[in-house]
């Protein structure tokens, strides 16, 4: 490898330079360069990698998994994901050439990255799969696994997104126990920093919140991310998910916990409007994909 070859994307500035080099290497123009830069920044934020040397098949799978989750949540269109995958493949080709790697490019059809209509399809995580994943986490005494175990239960009991369950602040938990209302803000990692409120309705929810608060206090944590940067815990979560899915018959995905929450709330008699607000959906139509309304 020549010393002049750029391989680092530790910040937005270096990602911009690397994206330019990758686009030129592939004889592509400014349009794909912008998409490559976006994917490099997403790779850093969602998996924690900061250079091409760190990219391997596991990192690629973790990143693609985040795209799948966002498609299922109707946050990305099929066209947008296709452009991201195309940019990712250009990054992979550049990496293989300059770092002598043998990474496989991604086929769109392999991951079924498509956005359907607003029709219900059961994507919820079953109780058995949920418990199997928690059992898998409990086998690891690392604090990151312990924190992830708490966040998974938080996702299921309150319908939180993965990022929200990791970023949730200790003060937010304390207030929820006092008021009976889980009030989330941008400080808790909500999408587009929007606020939302989720009622604390059951004793099981209260017990979980108390358990999380005790865990945060015992480990001197401000959130459920026991690492310096949230993206490190997010990347850890995705890698654990991928490992579980490779070694177990069950298929686990974090976003399925939100689907389970939505379906349970509808079965309890909550209205579509209530569930939509609790999940933080701008459009009630999106909620139709989560629960059989």
């Amino acid at each position: 490898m020549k010393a002049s070859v750029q391989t680092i994307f530790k910040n937005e500035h270096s990602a911009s330079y690397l994206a330019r080099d990758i686009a030129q290497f592939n004889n592509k123009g400014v349009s794909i360069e912008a998409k490559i830069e976006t994917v490099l920044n997403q790779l850093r934020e969602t998996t924690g990698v900061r250079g091409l040397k760190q990219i391997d098949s596991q990192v690629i799978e973790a990143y693609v998994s985040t795209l799948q989750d966002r498609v299922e949540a109707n946050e990305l269109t099929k066209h947008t994901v296709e452009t991201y995958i195309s940019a990712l493949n250009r990054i992979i080709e550049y990496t293989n050439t300059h770092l002598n790697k043998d990474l496989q490019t991604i086929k769109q059809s392999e991951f079924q990255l498509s956005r359907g209509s607003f029709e219900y399809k059961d994507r919820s995580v079953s109780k058995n799969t949920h418990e199997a994943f928690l059992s898998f986490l409990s086998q690891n005494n690392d604090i990151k696994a312990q924190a992830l175990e708490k966040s998974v239960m938080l996702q299921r009991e309150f319908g939180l997104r993965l990022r929200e369950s990791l970023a949730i602040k200790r003060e937010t938990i304390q207030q929820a126990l006092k008021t009976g209302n889980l009030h989330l803000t941008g400080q808790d990692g909500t999408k587009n920093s929007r606020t939302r409120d989720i009622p604390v309705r059951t004793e099981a929810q209260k017990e979980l919140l108390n358990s999380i608060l005790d865990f945060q206090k015992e480990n001197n944590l401000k959130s459920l991310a026991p690492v310096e940067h949230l993206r490190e815990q997010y990347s850890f979560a995705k890698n654990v998910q991928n490992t579980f899915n490779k070694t177990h018959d069950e298929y686990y995905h974090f976003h399925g916990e939100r689907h389970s929450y939505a379906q349970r709330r509808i079965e309890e008699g909550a209205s579509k409007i209530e569930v939509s607000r609790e999940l933080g959906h701008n459009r009630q139509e999106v909620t139709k994909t989560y629960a059989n309304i």
Side-chain angles (χ1 to χ4, degrees), residues 199-262:
V200 181
R201 310 176 321 279
T202 69
E203 286 302 316
Q205 288 178 319
K206 292 178 184 177
E207 290 176 6
L208 174 60
L209 292 177
N210 274 307
S211 173
I212 291 172
L213 184 58
D214 289 342
F215 179 80
Q216 290 173 318
K217 288 180 177 179
E218 289 170 5
N219 294 282
N220 195 27
L221 300 177
K222 295 180 179 179
S223 66
L224 270 178
V227 287
E228 184 176 356
H229 300 291
L230 177 65
R231 63 174 177 268
E232 295 177 38
Q233 182 71 3
Y234 192 92
S235 176
F236 172 79
K238 286 298 181 178
N239 288 335
V240 170
Q241 173 189 267
N242 290 334
T243 302
F244 176 86
N245 288 336
K246 288 178 181 178
T247 56
H248 291 71
D249 292 334
E250 296 98 340
Y251 174 75
Y252 181 84
H253 58 118
F254 293 105
H255 213 76
E257 301 287 13
R258 271 166 64 81
H259 286 261
S260 299
Y261 173 84

Side-chain angles (χ1 to χ4, degrees), residues 11-162:
N11 51 41
E12 292 184 358
H13 184 70
S14 56
S16 178
Y17 277 103
L18 179 55
R20 180 199 59 191
D21 289 352
I22 294 174
Q24 291 177 350
F25 170 77
N26 287 279
N27 295 316
K28 301 293 183 180
V30 176
S31 178
I32 190 65
E33 180 180 329
K35 294 298 188 301
I36 291 172
E37 182 177 351
T38 296
V39 171
L40 287 171
N41 286 322
Q42 289 177 345
L43 277 169
R44 185 181 64 252
E45 293 168 0
T46 61
T47 70
V49 300
R50 299 162 68 86
L52 299 181
K53 290 182 180 179
Q54 297 172 282
I55 294 181
D56 56 20
S57 59
Q58 193 173 37
V59 167
I60 293 170
E61 288 177 12
Y63 172 67
V64 172
S65 180
T66 66
L67 295 182
Q68 288 176 306
D69 286 347
R70 294 183 68 187
V71 170
E72 289 182 4
N74 288 288
E75 295 176 358
L76 290 177
T77 65
K78 177 181 178 181
H79 175 71
T80 298
V81 172
E82 287 174 346
T83 62
Y84 286 167
I85 292 296
S86 177
L88 176 63
N89 283 335
R90 304 293 79 77
I91 294 170
I92 291 172
E93 290 167 356
Y94 182 92
T95 301
N96 285 342
T97 298
H98 292 293
L99 296 178
N100 297 317
K101 293 195 176 188
D102 189 27
L103 302 171
Q104 297 298 308
T105 53
I106 307 301
K107 295 180 180 179
Q108 303 280 355
S109 58
E110 183 179 351
F111 292 93
Q112 300 179 342
L113 292 170
S114 61
R115 177 174 175 173
S117 60
F118 295 117
E119 295 181 0
Y120 171 71
K121 182 178 179 181
D122 189 2
R123 297 186 177 91
S124 60
V125 172
S126 70
K127 182 179 179 181
N128 287 342
T129 301
H130 170 77
E131 291 178 349
F133 188 66
L134 290 180
S135 177
F136 179 69
L137 285 172
S138 68
Q139 297 170 23
N140 188 337
N141 292 323
D142 184 272
I143 189 173
K144 290 186 291 185
Q146 295 171 4
L148 182 57
E149 186 176 351
K150 299 290 186 185
S151 76
V152 166
M153 291 188 284
L154 197 56
Q155 292 167 55
R156 193 172 188 85
E157 284 296 328
F158 290 93
L160 303 193
R161 298 178 176 89
L162 171 60

